[in-house]
Amino acid sequence: MTKRVPLIAGNWKMFHGGRTGCDLAIDIMRGLRSADLPAGTADVVMAPPFTALAAVAATVEEARAGLKLSVEISAQNFHAKAEGAFTGEVSAPMLLDAGCKWVIIGHSERRQLFGETDAGVAEKTKAALDAGLRPIVCVGETLEEREGGKTLEVVERQVGAFAKLLLADVGVGAIAYEPVWAIGTGRVAGPEQAQEVHAAIRSQLAGISQELASGTRLLYGGSVKPDNAAGLLACEDVDGALVGGASLKAESFLGILRAL
Ligand code: 13P
């Protein structure tokens, strides 16, 4: 089986959209340098708001020399069309231009608050891959769905909407399992709960292609903190984390990386 390098991604959500974003990136780069983690320990991704993308990308570029880990920038959303009359939207070529390598797609906040659908998520996944942006596609059940025993069914439906598209370039995309009830609530899924869903996603991918299953990184997200990260990241099918609140401070984000 291909060895999957853990991926630790910080989703800054609607925080640090200006100067403080660059300050945070500088502190994270400084921390990574002093932690001196060996190559292959993890790939690191930071996802600032649109307004800080180019500046944070430039900041990371300047601070990259000598670092053994890959550190890349992600957007949190984009429009599937390359250009056009779409007031307020930002396209994949624009993100690439700003120094982005990744984009988060279908985050539950976008699904719940901005009406994103499985079909829209698939469209964006294809558009990202076509443009050369690496997608981190999010899935996850609500509390009601979990309590109704529907977790695996919901996640299978969400993954099924886009999984085959990842065959275009196996390993380029990642999937983040983020149970909605664990996001920003401090209620983390236990390692067994996370592993159960990750294993189900992995076997769903194996049903499409063994290479897709072994080459796709599956991240867990939802109240990941330095003190619970080790247990989650030790799970066989958990290949990293998509971190919200704890990615907003260098110390806690670095604490998660140290848990690897
Ligand atoms: P929290 O880590 O704040 O729970 O957020 C998780 C998340 O939504 C990351 O995308």
Side-chain angles (χ1 to χ4, degrees):
M1 196 178 74
T2 334
K3 185 175 172 328
R4 295 180 295 267
V5 175
L7 174 62
I8 306 294
N11 174 8
W12 297 1
K13 306 194 179 183
M14 204 167 71
F15 298 96
H16 295 310
R19 180 69 233 171
T20 62
C22 292
D23 293 344
L24 175 58
I26 289 168
D27 288 347
I28 289 171
M29 294 304 277
R30 198 172 285 149
L32 287 174
R33 190 175 309 285
S34 64
D36 197 26
L37 301 167
T41 310
D43 292 340
V44 179
V45 166
M46 300 177 213
F50 286 135
T51 49
L53 280 175
V56 170
T59 300
V60 165
E61 208 44 58
E62 273 169 31
R64 185 186 300 288
L67 202 67
K68 299 187 188 102
L69 307 188
S70 151
V71 182
E72 293 181 329
I73 305 304
S74 175
Q76 301 172 16
N77 181 35
F78 77 121
H79 192 287
K81 296 273 191 304
E83 60 181 9
F86 300 105
T87 301
E89 294 295 320
V90 174
S91 71
M94 294 172 188
L95 295 179
L96 289 161
D97 225 27
C100 264
K101 298 277 193 279
W102 296 81
V103 64
I104 298 170
I105 297 176
H107 190 280
S108 66
E109 287 149 16
R110 297 221 53 91
R111 291 178 189 257
Q112 294 203 311
L113 306 174
F114 302 100
E116 294 206 1
T117 60
D118 286 344
V121 167
E123 188 191 4
K124 287 188 180 187
T125 303
K126 178 163 185 342
L129 290 165
D130 286 351
L133 263 184
R134 305 182 69 171
I136 299 174
V137 193
C138 303
V139 298
E141 82 287 3
T142 62
L143 184 58
E144 197 185 355
E145 288 162 343
R146 173 157 286 264
E147 288 177 344
K150 295 200 158 63
T151 298
L152 296 182
E153 183 189 316
V154 168
V155 170
E156 185 182 356
R157 189 204 75 225
Q158 292 173 332
V159 170
F162 65 84
K164 285 195 177 132
L165 298 167
L166 300 178
L167 281 173
D169 208 345
V170 171
V172 163
I175 300 174
Y177 167 58
E178 300 204 307
V180 178
W181 49 270
I183 295 178
T185 58
R187 261 186 83 170
V188 66
E192 310 74 31
Q193 285 175 311
Q195 169 57 26
E196 183 197 13
V197 179
H198 282 232
I201 297 173
R202 184 94 57 209
S203 89
Q204 185 177 355
L205 298 181
I208 298 170
S209 127
Q210 199 51 55
E211 193 201 353
L212 185 66
S214 58
T216 302
R217 288 184 281 193
L218 306 182
L219 319 184
Y220 170 79
S223 297
V224 178
K225 310 278 179 235
D227 61 0
N228 60 27
L232 290 159
L233 294 167
C235 295
E236 188 184 343
D237 289 297
V238 176
D239 307 313
L242 183 54
V243 185
S247 72
L248 299 176
K249 291 211 160 71
E251 203 32 55
S252 44
F253 189 59
L254 292 163
I256 291 167
L257 277 150
R258 276 192 223 102
L260 278 165

Coordinates of all heavy atoms in Angstrom, one line a residue, residues 205-254:
L205 N -14.4 3.7 -1.5 CA -13.4 4.1 -2.6 C -12.9 2.8 -3.2 O -12.7 2.7 -4.4 CB -12.3 4.9 -2.0 CG -12.7 6.3 -1.4 CD1 -11.4 7.0 -0.9 CD2 -13.4 7.2 -2.4
A206 N -12.7 1.8 -2.4 CA -12.1 0.5 -2.9 C -13.1 -0.1 -3.9 O -12.6 -0.8 -4.8 CB -11.8 -0.4 -1.7
G207 N -14.4 0.1 -3.7 CA -15.4 -0.4 -4.6 C -15.2 0.3 -6.0 O -15.7 -0.3 -7.0
I208 N -14.6 1.4 -6.0 CA -14.4 2.1 -7.3 C -13.0 1.7 -7.8 O -12.9 1.3 -9.0 CB -14.4 3.7 -7.1 CG1 -15.8 4.1 -6.6 CG2 -14.1 4.4 -8.4 CD1 -15.9 5.5 -6.1
S209 N -12.0 1.8 -7.0 CA -10.7 1.4 -7.4 C -9.8 1.2 -6.2 O -9.8 2.1 -5.3 CB -10.1 2.4 -8.4 OG -8.8 2.9 -8.0
Q210 N -9.0 0.2 -6.1 CA -8.1 -0.1 -5.0 C -7.1 1.0 -4.9 O -6.8 1.5 -3.8 CB -7.5 -1.4 -5.2 CG -6.9 -2.0 -3.9 CD -7.9 -2.1 -2.8 OE1 -9.0 -2.6 -2.9 NE2 -7.5 -1.4 -1.7
E211 N -6.7 1.5 -6.0 CA -5.7 2.6 -6.0 C -6.2 3.9 -5.4 O -5.6 4.6 -4.7 CB -5.2 2.8 -7.5 CG -4.0 3.7 -7.6 CD -3.8 4.3 -9.0 OE1 -4.6 4.0 -9.9 OE2 -3.0 5.2 -9.1
L212 N -7.5 4.1 -5.8 CA -8.2 5.3 -5.2 C -8.3 5.2 -3.7 O -8.0 6.1 -3.0 CB -9.6 5.4 -5.8 CG -10.4 6.7 -5.4 CD1 -9.7 7.9 -6.0 CD2 -11.8 6.6 -5.9
A213 N -8.6 4.0 -3.2 CA -8.8 3.8 -1.8 C -7.4 3.9 -1.0 O -7.4 4.6 0.0 CB -9.3 2.4 -1.5
S214 N -6.4 3.4 -1.6 CA -5.1 3.4 -0.9 C -4.4 4.8 -1.1 O -3.5 5.1 -0.3 CB -4.2 2.3 -1.2 OG -4.0 2.2 -2.6
G215 N -4.7 5.5 -2.1 CA -4.0 6.7 -2.4 C -4.7 8.0 -2.0 O -4.1 9.1 -2.1
T216 N -5.9 7.9 -1.5 CA -6.7 9.1 -1.1 C -6.6 9.4 0.4 O -6.9 8.5 1.2 CB -8.2 9.0 -1.5 OG1 -8.2 8.7 -2.9 CG2 -8.9 10.3 -1.2
R217 N -6.2 10.6 0.8 CA -6.1 10.9 2.2 C -7.5 11.3 2.7 O -8.2 12.1 2.1 CB -5.1 12.0 2.4 CG -3.7 11.5 2.2 CD -2.6 12.6 2.5 NE -2.5 13.5 1.4 CZ -1.5 14.4 1.3 NH1 -0.5 14.4 2.2 NH2 -1.4 15.2 0.3
L218 N -7.8 10.7 3.9 CA -9.1 10.9 4.5 C -8.8 11.7 5.8 O -8.1 11.1 6.7 CB -9.8 9.6 4.9 CG -10.0 8.6 3.7 CD1 -10.7 7.4 4.2 CD2 -10.7 9.3 2.5
L219 N -9.2 12.9 5.9 CA -9.0 13.8 7.0 C -10.2 13.7 8.0 O -11.3 13.6 7.5 CB -8.7 15.2 6.6 CG -7.9 15.5 5.4 CD1 -7.7 17.0 5.2 CD2 -6.5 14.8 5.5
Y220 N -9.9 13.9 9.3 CA -11.0 14.0 10.2 C -11.1 15.5 10.6 O -10.0 16.2 10.8 CB -10.8 13.2 11.5 CG -11.8 13.6 12.5 CD1 -13.1 13.1 12.4 CD2 -11.5 14.5 13.5 CE1 -14.1 13.6 13.3 CE2 -12.4 15.0 14.4 CZ -13.7 14.5 14.3 OH -14.7 15.0 15.1
G221 N -12.3 16.1 10.7 CA -12.4 17.4 11.2 C -13.6 17.5 12.1 O -14.6 16.9 12.0
G222 N -13.4 18.4 13.1 CA -14.5 18.6 14.1 C -13.9 18.6 15.5 O -13.6 17.6 16.1
S223 N -13.6 19.9 16.0 CA -13.1 20.1 17.4 C -11.7 19.3 17.6 O -11.5 18.8 18.7 CB -14.1 19.7 18.4 OG -15.2 20.5 18.4
V224 N -10.9 19.2 16.5 CA -9.5 18.7 16.7 C -8.7 19.7 17.5 O -8.6 20.9 17.1 CB -8.9 18.3 15.4 CG1 -7.5 17.8 15.6 CG2 -9.7 17.3 14.6
K225 N -8.1 19.2 18.5 CA -7.2 20.1 19.4 C -5.9 19.3 19.7 O -5.9 18.1 19.5 CB -7.9 20.4 20.8 CG -9.4 20.8 20.7 CD -9.5 22.3 20.4 CE -10.9 22.7 20.3 NZ -11.3 23.4 19.1
P226 N -4.9 20.0 20.2 CA -3.7 19.3 20.5 C -3.9 18.1 21.4 O -3.2 17.1 21.3 CB -2.8 20.4 21.2 CG -3.3 21.7 20.7 CD -4.8 21.5 20.4
D227 N -4.8 18.2 22.4 CA -4.9 17.1 23.3 C -5.8 16.0 22.9 O -5.8 14.9 23.5 CB -5.5 17.7 24.7 CG -6.8 18.3 24.6 OD1 -7.4 18.3 23.4 OD2 -7.4 18.7 25.6
N228 N -6.5 16.1 21.7 CA -7.2 14.9 21.3 C -6.7 14.4 19.9 O -7.1 13.4 19.4 CB -8.7 15.1 21.2 CG -9.1 16.3 20.2 OD1 -8.4 16.6 19.3 ND2 -10.2 16.9 20.5
A229 N -5.7 15.2 19.3 CA -5.2 14.9 18.0 C -4.5 13.5 17.9 O -4.7 12.8 16.9 CB -4.3 16.0 17.5
A230 N -3.7 13.2 18.9 CA -2.9 12.0 18.8 C -3.8 10.8 18.7 O -3.6 9.9 17.8 CB -2.0 11.8 20.0
G231 N -4.9 10.7 19.5 CA -5.8 9.5 19.4 C -6.5 9.4 18.0 O -6.6 8.3 17.5
L232 N -6.9 10.6 17.5 CA -7.6 10.5 16.2 C -6.6 10.2 15.1 O -6.9 9.3 14.2 CB -8.2 11.9 15.9 CG -9.4 12.3 16.8 CD1 -9.6 13.8 16.8 CD2 -10.6 11.5 16.3
L233 N -5.4 10.8 15.1 CA -4.5 10.6 14.0 C -3.8 9.2 14.1 O -3.2 8.8 13.1 CB -3.4 11.7 14.1 CG -3.9 13.1 13.8 CD1 -2.9 14.2 14.2 CD2 -4.3 13.2 12.3
A234 N -4.0 8.5 15.2 CA -3.4 7.2 15.3 C -4.3 6.1 14.6 O -3.9 5.0 14.4 CB -3.2 6.8 16.8
C235 N -5.6 6.5 14.3 CA -6.5 5.6 13.7 C -6.0 5.2 12.3 O -5.5 6.1 11.5 CB -7.9 6.2 13.5 SG -8.6 6.6 15.1
E236 N -6.2 3.9 12.0 CA -5.6 3.4 10.7 C -6.1 4.2 9.5 O -5.3 4.4 8.6 CB -6.1 1.9 10.6 CG -5.4 1.2 9.4 CD -6.0 -0.2 9.3 OE1 -6.6 -0.7 10.2 OE2 -5.7 -0.7 8.2
D237 N -7.3 4.6 9.4 CA -7.8 5.2 8.2 C -7.9 6.8 8.4 O -8.5 7.4 7.5 CB -9.2 4.6 7.8 CG -9.0 3.2 7.3 OD1 -8.3 3.1 6.3 OD2 -9.5 2.3 8.0
V238 N -7.4 7.3 9.4 CA -7.4 8.8 9.5 C -6.0 9.3 9.1 O -5.0 9.0 9.7 CB -7.7 9.2 11.0 CG1 -7.5 10.7 11.2 CG2 -9.0 8.7 11.4
D239 N -6.0 10.0 8.0 CA -4.7 10.4 7.4 C -4.4 11.9 7.6 O -3.6 12.5 6.8 CB -4.7 10.2 5.9 CG -5.1 8.7 5.5 OD1 -4.6 7.8 6.1 OD2 -6.0 8.6 4.7
G240 N -5.1 12.5 8.6 CA -4.8 13.9 8.8 C -6.0 14.6 9.4 O -7.0 13.9 9.8
A241 N -5.9 15.9 9.5 CA -7.0 16.6 10.2 C -7.3 17.9 9.4 O -6.4 18.5 8.8 CB -6.6 16.9 11.6
L242 N -8.6 18.3 9.4 CA -9.0 19.6 9.0 C -9.4 20.3 10.2 O -10.4 20.0 10.9 CB -10.2 19.5 7.9 CG -10.7 20.8 7.3 CD1 -9.5 21.6 6.7 CD2 -11.7 20.5 6.3
V243 N -8.7 21.4 10.6 CA -8.8 22.0 11.9 C -9.4 23.4 11.7 O -8.9 24.2 10.9 CB -7.3 22.1 12.5 CG1 -7.4 22.7 13.9 CG2 -6.6 20.8 12.4
G244 N -10.4 23.7 12.5 CA -11.0 25.0 12.5 C -10.4 25.8 13.6 O -9.3 26.4 13.5
G245 N -11.1 25.9 14.7 CA -10.7 26.8 15.8 C -9.3 26.7 16.3 O -8.6 27.8 16.5
A246 N -8.8 25.5 16.4 CA -7.4 25.4 16.8 C -6.3 25.7 15.8 O -5.1 25.7 16.1 CB -7.2 23.9 17.3
S247 N -6.8 26.1 14.6 CA -5.8 26.5 13.6 C -5.6 28.1 13.6 O -4.8 28.6 12.9 CB -6.2 26.1 12.2 OG -7.4 26.9 11.7
L248 N -6.4 28.7 14.5 CA -6.4 30.2 14.5 C -5.2 30.7 15.4 O -5.0 31.9 15.5 CB -7.7 30.7 15.0 CG -8.9 30.4 14.1 CD1 -10.2 30.9 14.7 CD2 -8.7 30.9 12.7
K249 N -4.6 29.9 16.1 CA -3.4 30.3 16.9 C -2.3 29.3 16.6 O -2.5 28.1 16.5 CB -3.8 30.1 18.4 CG -4.8 31.1 18.9 CD -4.5 31.4 20.4 CE -5.2 32.8 20.8 NZ -6.6 32.7 20.9
A250 N -1.1 29.9 16.4 CA 0.0 29.1 16.0 C 0.3 28.0 17.0 O 0.5 26.8 16.6 CB 1.3 30.0 15.8
E251 N 0.2 28.3 18.3 CA 0.6 27.3 19.3 C -0.3 26.1 19.2 O 0.2 24.9 19.3 CB 0.5 28.0 20.7 CG 1.3 27.3 21.7 CD 2.6 26.7 21.2 OE1 3.4 27.4 20.6 OE2 2.8 25.5 21.4
S252 N -1.6 26.3 19.1 CA -2.5 25.1 19.0 C -2.4 24.3 17.7 O -2.4 23.1 17.7 CB -4.0 25.5 19.4 OG -4.4 26.6 18.7
F253 N -2.2 25.1 16.6 CA -2.0 24.4 15.3 C -0.8 23.5 15.3 O -0.8 22.4 14.9 CB -2.0 25.4 14.2 CG -2.1 24.8 12.8 CD1 -3.2 24.0 12.4 CD2 -1.1 25.0 11.9 CE1 -3.2 23.5 11.1 CE2 -1.1 24.5 10.6 CZ -2.2 23.7 10.2
L254 N 0.3 24.1 15.9 CA 1.6 23.4 15.9 C 1.5 22.2 16.9 O 2.1 21.2 16.7 CB 2.7 24.4 16.4 CG 3.1 25.4 15.3 CD1 3.9 26.6 16.0 CD2 3.8 24.8 14.2

